[in-house]
Amino acid sequence: MEQYEPDRLSPAVAAAVRRSFRNGRAAMTRRSLLRASAGGALAAGGIASLSGCGIPAAGKTEGGQSADDHSAKEKEINFSNWPEYIDVDDSGKHHPTLEAFRKRTGISVKYTEDINDNDEFFGKIQPQLAAGQDTGRDLIVLTDWLAARMIRLGYVQKLDASNLPHAYANLSEQFRSPDWDPGRAYSYVWQGISTVVAFNKKALGGVEVKSVSDLLDNPKLKGRVGLLTEMRDTVGMTMLDMGKDPAKFTSDDYDAVIARLQKAVDKGQIRRFTGNDYTSDLSKGDLAACVAWGGDIVQLQADNPDVGYVIPDSGYMTSTDNLLIPNKARHKTNAERLIDYYYEPGPAAELAAYINYVSPVADVKPYLAKIDKSAANNPLILPDKAMQAKSVAFRSLSSKEETAYQQKFAKLTGA
């Protein structure tokens, strides 16, 4: 078991806190919003939409559709991302890393924060992609499960490795070969997300928490435990605790996890399944312990020294948000140059120092240390090799599995 306690208010955390307060939602990170919206959409009717948009069964399609690449003549990129997911200067109007890219390359980036929910965004661009039309975007950021779907449907373009020397060399081993994109032929990681077990030391009152078993089985925590509405995180962490592999599990394994979780629900062990709102409950002590996202914990620790976390001996779940180039993108080469730029350790360090998620760049630590030593030594931002070795990614699902598993999880959570 590894346990980490807060140290001081680092520049990275201070930036995160300023960012949260500027939006009027302290300690509510972009990842929390993503997970809450994704889980909620599936539970409240998104399951039907998966089959309603004509998604075929799992099976990899070949390549995507290119358009005439205007990169040489049109020095621009249209980049769509999530809100609060890039560095911002004190004015809140400029992105220093993008400005540096423009000055170096002459390529201007039209940066748009128009992705607020994976399924919602997919619904927005899917008709254009299905019709073989340009979406008006050269680069997009999608969570791993939707990135897998986009690749399966042939909606994104294969990347040109010759334009990605830094990305190829510097991608962390942890993220090199997901089952849905072996060798990263179609995608590169924007940021990683760690799922951990978090606790409020004061609320625990001396009770020790080391594992998911402690959350589900310790009667002293009855009614004070939180689990996430994101199926992959809650099921994945429980699966690891049961000695099963989220990267290779069977339907019987999944059902065994649901049965175990149902038992905890039935005996009143679980206070509730939550989206982003667990952060407030954990900080106040209404939740003594919970399954949580690492980016949230970095921010919570800035305000509350009682908040801590553990990496269970059984392991922890990791997921990614990923850079992809959609079909018919007008500026593919320019987009690839921007992807590669963020795999240079300098820009990667600036990004990590601001947004506090897991950097996918292997040798970023000394560069980040020059900006913020505390961030460089925070395993939730830069996992060491021992921690990386404990990480597991949830395997990709077929459309049939997605529907069946989400239905069972929705019934469990009462959604």
Side-chain angles (χ1 to χ4, degrees):
M1 180 194 72
E2 300 169 57
Q3 179 172 323
Y4 305 96
E5 298 291 344
D7 183 9
R8 61 183 177 83
L9 188 60
S10 70
V13 173
V17 172
R18 287 198 303 272
R19 185 164 72 250
S20 291
F21 278 111
R22 186 170 70 243
N23 279 355
R25 49 177 198 264
M28 186 183 296
T29 66
R30 203 284 310 165
R31 166 55 45 178
S32 294
L33 293 172
L34 183 159
R35 292 301 200 189
S37 60
L42 286 168
I47 295 172
S49 71
L50 292 178
S51 57
C53 54
I55 298 169
K60 192 170 181 180
T61 59
E62 287 298 324
Q65 299 173 10
S66 61
D68 291 337
D69 193 345
H70 298 268
S71 293
K73 293 183 179 180
E74 298 175 4
K75 298 292 186 178
E76 60 186 81
I77 302 169
N78 291 300
F79 182 8
S80 285
N81 203 349
W82 299 77
E84 307 296 336
Y85 212 18
I86 198 170
D87 53 310
V88 182
D89 66 6
D90 289 339
S91 73
K93 297 179 181 179
H94 303 286
H95 307 294
T97 54
L98 291 181
E99 289 291 319
F101 176 79
R102 179 188 60 79
K103 290 178 181 178
R104 182 200 297 184
T105 64
I107 300 171
S108 297
V109 180
K110 181 182 178 182
Y111 185 78
T112 308
E113 296 180 333
D114 62 344
I115 305 178
N116 293 294
D117 174 271
N118 279 292
D119 279 317
E120 178 186 53
F121 186 73
F122 180 76
K124 184 188 301 183
I125 63 174
Q126 194 267 345
Q128 295 166 294
L129 292 168
Q133 299 172 351
D134 180 9
T135 66
R137 299 168 177 86
D138 301 303
L139 194 61
I140 56 179
V141 177
L142 300 177
T143 306
D144 43 23
W145 57 268
L146 182 54
R149 186 194 302 175
M150 293 280 285
I151 293 170
R152 186 171 72 237
L153 292 171
Y155 284 170
V156 294
Q157 297 187 56
K158 192 169 186 177
L159 300 172
D160 184 345
S162 67
N163 292 327
L164 298 159
H166 295 98
Y168 179 81
N170 296 336
L171 177 62
S172 171
E173 189 66 32
Q174 182 181 10
F175 302 120
R176 277 199 173 268
S177 195
D179 65 350
W180 47 270
D181 188 15
R184 292 288 177 183
Y186 296 88
S187 67
Y188 268 92
V189 179
W190 176 246
Q191 296 290 284
I193 304 99
S194 299
T195 303
V196 300
V197 172
F199 58 84
N200 183 308
K201 190 190 309 181
K202 185 176 180 179
L204 284 179
V207 176
E208 190 172 32
V209 169
K210 295 182 178 181
S211 66
V212 172
S213 285
D214 291 331
L215 302 186
L216 301 181
D217 301 332
N218 192 328
K220 294 181 179 179
L221 298 179
K222 183 176 180 178
R224 299 189 295 139
V225 169
L227 299 177
L228 295 168
T229 53
E230 170 54 37
M231 179 269 287
R232 288 167 175 81
D233 290 312
T234 291
V235 169
M237 290 292 283
T238 308
M239 197 172 283
L240 285 169
D241 188 75
M242 296 173 67
K244 301 179 186 299
D245 188 350
K248 300 177 182 178
F249 69 91
T250 66
S251 291
D252 287 342
D253 292 333
Y254 186 90
D255 289 344
V257 171
I258 294 297
R260 186 180 185 203
L261 291 170
Q262 187 65 60
K263 182 178 178 180
V265 169
D266 292 343
K267 68 181 181 181
Q269 187 75 6
I270 310 304
R271 181 181 179 89
R272 62 193 182 103
F273 291 81
T274 70
N276 61 278
D277 46 336
Y278 78 86
T279 56
S280 176
D281 287 348
L282 180 63
S283 186
K284 290 186 298 183
D286 291 341
L287 287 176
C290 62
V291 175
W293 295 303
D296 292 337
I297 303 308
V298 172
Q299 294 190 31
L300 289 178
Q301 288 182 330
D303 291 328
N304 190 340
D306 288 325
V307 173
Y309 73 97
V310 295
I311 304 297
D313 288 339
S314 60
Y316 70 101
M317 298 304 297
T318 190
S319 53
T320 55
D321 289 329
N322 307 273
L323 295 154
L324 304 106
I325 299 175
N327 286 353
K328 298 292 184 177
R330 189 175 176 90
H331 309 105
K332 181 175 184 284
T333 299
N334 289 346
E336 289 167 338
R337 291 184 67 182
L338 185 61
I339 294 172
D340 197 60
Y341 167 76
Y342 278 108
Y343 274 82
E344 295 179 25
E350 291 184 58
L351 185 64
Y354 190 85
I355 63 177
N356 304 148
Y357 290 97
V358 178
S359 175
V361 178
D363 298 320
V364 74
K365 185 169 185 175
Y367 295 83
L368 182 55
K370 293 178 181 179
I371 302 171
D372 184 346
K373 289 183 179 180
S374 178
N377 291 318
N378 190 331
L380 290 178
I381 299 174
L382 294 183
D384 59 24
K385 289 184 178 180
M387 181 170 166
Q388 288 183 25
K390 293 182 179 181
S391 73
V392 181
F394 205 87
R395 72 168 175 81
S396 57
L397 303 177
S398 68
S399 296
K400 182 178 180 180
E401 287 177 323
E402 180 80 42
T403 300
Y405 293 169
Q406 287 288 3
Q407 285 176 339
K408 292 176 181 179
F409 189 70
K411 182 178 179 181
L412 168 76
T413 61

